[in-house]
Amino acid sequence: MTPVVDASARDVEFTDYLAARQGAMLRTAYLICGDQHQAEDVLQTALAKLYLAWDKVHDKHAVDAYLRRIIANEATSLWRRAWHRKERATDDVPEGSPHHDRYDDGTDDELWALVQSLPRRARAVIVLRYYEQLSEAETADALGISVGTVKSQASRAMATLRERAPAHLHPRGGGHA
Amino acid sequence: MPEHDPLQETLHLLLRERADDVAHTRFGLDVVRGRARTIHRRRVAGATTAAALAVVALVVPTAMLVRGDLRADSVDPAGPSHTPSAIDTANPQPRGPLAWADLTGPPVIHTDDGSTLRPQVDGQLLSFAAAGDDRWLLQVSDDQGRSAEAVLIDDTGTVVMRQAMDSNMGLAGSDDELAVAWLDSKHHVVVLNRGDERPEDWGEVPDGSKPVEVVGCPDECGVVVNEPFEFTMTPYLVTADGASGWHGEWLSQVTDVSPDGRLATGLLPGNEEKLCWGLLDLERNRLEWRTCEQGNLTFSPDGSRLLATPPTTDGFGFFTEYLLDLDGGVLDTIDGGFTGQAWSTSTSWLTVDTASEGAPTTVVRHDLDGSTEVLDGPVSESFPFLLETR
């Protein structure tokens, strides 16, 4: 039997979660989408789906994983990609202000562009593995795919990046030889 | 992460730095609730169009109505096995144009005579269907989308009946406005016949069942329901006396039944990676043709044509809509962004068109001669229009 949950208490609980975690989840969504507007749209939809399912998420310690999975699915869904294709005629890397950090020599912008050129699913694998630092099993669970698929997607994505990345990022520092 | 790989190390730092640059937009509970309402409407609309609660015409020979007895070799494939049915004698009246609801404020139903009806209900309208005699059955949910009621209103919008219903399944109408059906909160099939003020309880179906269409009324009403079966779905015919039949050998889900009750479209069993639809001759128990290029096939009111979408879409997004003849031949196509599509008359259909999610949206009528007319909009709301369920 489904326990009766007081609606106002549920909303308070959900609001607390929003305040605590939506910033982190927006960052993950942004890295997968590569676009702030799309990331906000994906996160808003994911939060709405989480809200509809809130009573069914009995283990509140697993909410992050649940939301991450919705974000990844939303970002890679056929429906959203269809809208995306219409809104942006090409699948090119989005143009934006070049990012400059304290070590900037142009490498980061180049590498970021390469990450954004990866297929959505592979990009999601890369973000979850190298930003969220999830294990292969956790990444597989978050994306609803097998560990083997995570391995192959990550391997192919890294091979692509390695092939196109500046030489000094190659293993054993090829560019500096 | 292996420490010796500079690319992996740089990637980690890059992603962290890029993430730190993200402008922090905060969504409040009200914003999340608003999107949740939109999602819930889409889910219900998808359940209504793609799956279905339907009252089905009992043109299926009686032998087929016993669960498990419908077998491909049990029917003479060439035999004129037509059984007289209610459809033959009821002489259903042609329906007027399809109605649509404007959801940008309190719901307003635009009816086929050009007038409007304002239902006196609170909450969000998830689906609606004509109940005959200028009455409408509405599926209305609370603001959180957690519960729903079936609400019957008269021609002034006044509520005359309400009952708790399954919030995730839509309504099922009949092609002749003789009955509407839904699932109540205990997964019972409930049918409201034209002229009645109280619905009939036709018994329980498994959790997860989706009603599709009501046919064969008034004498031999049945409701086509897609029921969960092992790891897939199976269509069943639910009737007032509990009889049921199934077409498991051909269809895994029924999408629509033709107005004369002789044909059905639906999803074919098979590889989930490739969705294929088929046209089934219910009398002969024969699959007439199949296609993996189109799906969600619905019959025109006169049963002479089919409206279709690509097989993988749930009816929302950018895709090509197809107009087919009953042999599966493509008569016409329309490309665009859609959040709804349904036959209006036998020579026209309505679409809800939008350039992108949340962008200006219109209700458009398409005629067979190729002409189009904007009937409502444009408005820049999320999911502003809802088409009538038939």
Side-chain angles (χ1 to χ4, degrees):
Chain A
M1 180 178 291
T2 304
V4 176
V5 179
D6 176 65
S8 58
R10 181 180 57 223
D11 284 353
V12 168
E13 202 175 44
F14 188 82
T15 303
D16 288 345
Y17 179 79
L18 273 184
R21 299 298 299 153
Q22 68 167 304
M25 291 301 169
L26 179 61
R27 289 192 282 275
T28 298
Y30 170 74
L31 293 175
I32 297 174
C33 296
D35 176 275
Q36 173 102 21
H37 176 72
Q38 270 194 55
E40 290 171 1
D41 189 43
V42 164
L43 179 63
Q44 194 178 342
T45 297
L47 288 171
K49 290 185 174 180
L50 176 65
Y51 179 72
L52 290 171
W54 188 254
D55 295 343
K56 296 174 185 171
V57 185
H58 299 301
D59 180 5
K60 291 299 187 274
H61 297 294
V63 174
D64 273 5
Y66 185 76
L67 183 58
R68 207 177 279 125
R69 182 170 191 161
I70 304 174
I71 288 171
N73 285 336
E74 280 297 312
T76 56
S77 72
L78 281 172
W79 152 258
R80 195 163 295 280
R81 274 184 282 149
W83 289 122
H84 180 59
R85 278 198 300 273
K86 184 68 177 183
E87 288 171 352
R88 301 194 322 192
T90 69
D91 205 18
D92 292 341
V93 178
E95 300 260 349
S97 339
H99 173 85
H100 298 290
D101 59 40
R102 57 191 181 279
Y103 305 116
D104 185 31
D105 59 356
T107 298
D108 278 5
D109 286 335
E110 194 173 341
L111 186 56
W112 175 244
L114 289 173
V115 170
Q116 292 304 300
S117 70
L118 294 171
R120 283 283 178 105
R121 180 67 74 186
R123 205 185 313 162
V125 168
I126 292 297
V127 168
L128 295 182
R129 290 283 286 128
Y130 297 108
Y131 171 68
E132 295 273 9
Q133 296 193 285
L134 301 185
S135 67
E136 288 176 338
E138 288 168 331
T139 302
D141 186 53
L143 297 176
I145 58 181
S146 68
V147 172
T149 302
V150 169
K151 286 180 178 176
S152 62
Q153 292 266 6
S155 173
R156 276 201 294 271
M158 292 305 288
T160 300
L161 294 177
R162 195 163 278 120
E163 180 184 319
R164 300 177 186 172
H168 70 268
L169 294 178
H170 290 187
R172 290 176 293 281
H176 294 298
Chain B
M1 263 189 308
E3 291 182 1
H4 64 275
D5 188 337
L7 176 57
Q8 292 187 3
E9 291 171 13
T10 304
L11 192 55
H12 174 63
L13 292 173
L14 167 75
L15 294 174
R16 282 182 57 180
E17 287 173 358
R18 291 286 167 163
D20 287 343
D21 284 350
V22 174
H24 195 171
T25 304
R26 287 198 173 275
F27 299 117
L29 183 60
D30 288 348
V31 172
V32 174
R33 276 180 174 170
R35 181 63 67 97
R37 278 195 292 272
T38 300
I39 290 169
H40 197 209
R41 281 175 181 151
R42 279 178 50 179
R43 284 178 177 168
V44 170
T48 301
T49 56
L53 172 59
V55 182
V56 169
L58 299 187
V59 295
V60 182
T62 304
M64 294 184 181
L65 296 181
V66 180
R67 187 173 299 206
D69 276 2
L70 179 61
R71 292 169 35 191
D73 59 0
S74 66
V75 179
D76 176 3
S81 56
H82 177 74
T83 300
S85 71
I87 286 294
D88 294 317
T89 56
N91 187 26
Q93 296 298 309
R95 296 284 300 274
L98 194 77
W100 74 93
D102 179 346
L103 306 178
T104 55
V108 178
I109 295 175
H110 294 260
T111 54
D112 53 14
D113 61 359
S115 62
T116 58
L117 178 65
R118 298 178 186 278
Q120 295 167 18
V121 294
D122 295 323
Q124 54 174 322
L125 181 61
L126 297 178
S127 63
F128 68 107
D133 301 329
D134 296 324
R135 302 184 308 169
W136 294 89
L137 190 75
L138 317 178
Q139 181 185 13
V140 181
S141 171
D142 65 6
D143 281 342
Q144 283 74 45
R146 297 174 188 281
S147 60
E149 286 186 317
V151 178
L152 182 67
I153 60 172
D154 63 17
D155 58 357
T156 68
T158 303
V159 174
V160 294
M161 186 279 297
R162 59 199 323 153
Q163 181 190 78
M165 70 173 287
D166 188 317
S167 62
N168 292 316
M169 300 300 166
L171 305 171
S174 63
D175 286 323
D176 43 20
E177 286 189 32
L178 292 175
V180 286
W182 65 94
L183 297 184
D184 71 11
S185 55
K186 297 178 180 176
H187 312 298
H188 285 229
V189 173
V190 178
V191 177
L192 179 69
N193 291 302
R194 183 173 191 152
D196 288 354
E197 292 192 354
R198 306 303 306 173
E200 298 175 2
D201 184 340
W202 283 11
E204 186 175 7
V205 291
D207 187 7
S209 298
K210 296 179 180 180
V212 183
E213 190 174 349
V214 180
V215 291
C217 298
D219 298 327
E220 295 180 309
C221 276
V223 181
V224 175
V225 177
N226 290 324
E227 292 187 3
F229 178 73
E230 295 181 345
F231 299 105
T232 180
M233 303 285 285
T234 297
Y236 283 91
L237 185 66
V238 177
T239 60
D241 60 5
S244 60
W246 65 302
H247 312 287
E249 288 128 35
W250 296 116
L251 303 177
S252 64
Q253 293 183 45
V254 166
T255 300
D256 195 17
V257 178
S258 64
D260 63 6
R262 296 186 177 105
L263 302 171
T265 60
L267 186 64
L268 300 175
N271 186 350
E272 289 184 2
E273 294 295 317
K274 189 170 186 179
L275 302 178
C276 300
W277 258 256
L279 180 78
L280 180 67
D281 185 325
L282 292 170
E283 289 184 324
R284 297 179 176 179
N285 188 25
R286 187 170 68 190
L287 189 65
E288 296 296 328
W289 49 265
R290 56 178 280 151
T291 174
C292 303
E293 303 300 318
Q294 292 94 23
N296 303 303
L297 308 162
T298 57
F299 291 96
S300 59
D302 65 357
S304 66
R305 299 176 187 84
L306 295 161
L307 189 61
T309 69
T312 53
T313 181
D314 60 357
F316 303 87
F318 273 89
F319 50 80
T320 299
E321 285 187 350
Y322 299 89
L323 188 64
L324 307 177
D325 61 29
L326 290 187
D327 294 324
V330 176
L331 301 172
D332 199 1
T333 61
I334 300 175
D335 294 323
F338 306 104
T339 64
Q341 56 281 138
W343 283 101
S344 180
T345 67
S346 293
T347 58
S348 66
W349 67 97
L350 303 190
T351 58
V352 182
D353 293 11
T354 183
S356 65
E357 198 172 11
T361 303
T362 53
V363 177
V364 180
R365 185 182 65 221
H366 305 260
D367 286 308
L368 290 179
D369 63 8
S371 63
T372 61
E373 180 183 0
V374 175
L375 301 180
D376 206 344
V379 294
S380 293
E381 303 273 344
S382 185
F383 208 99
F385 300 117
L386 184 66
L387 298 180
E388 172 194 349
T389 299
R390 281 192 176 171

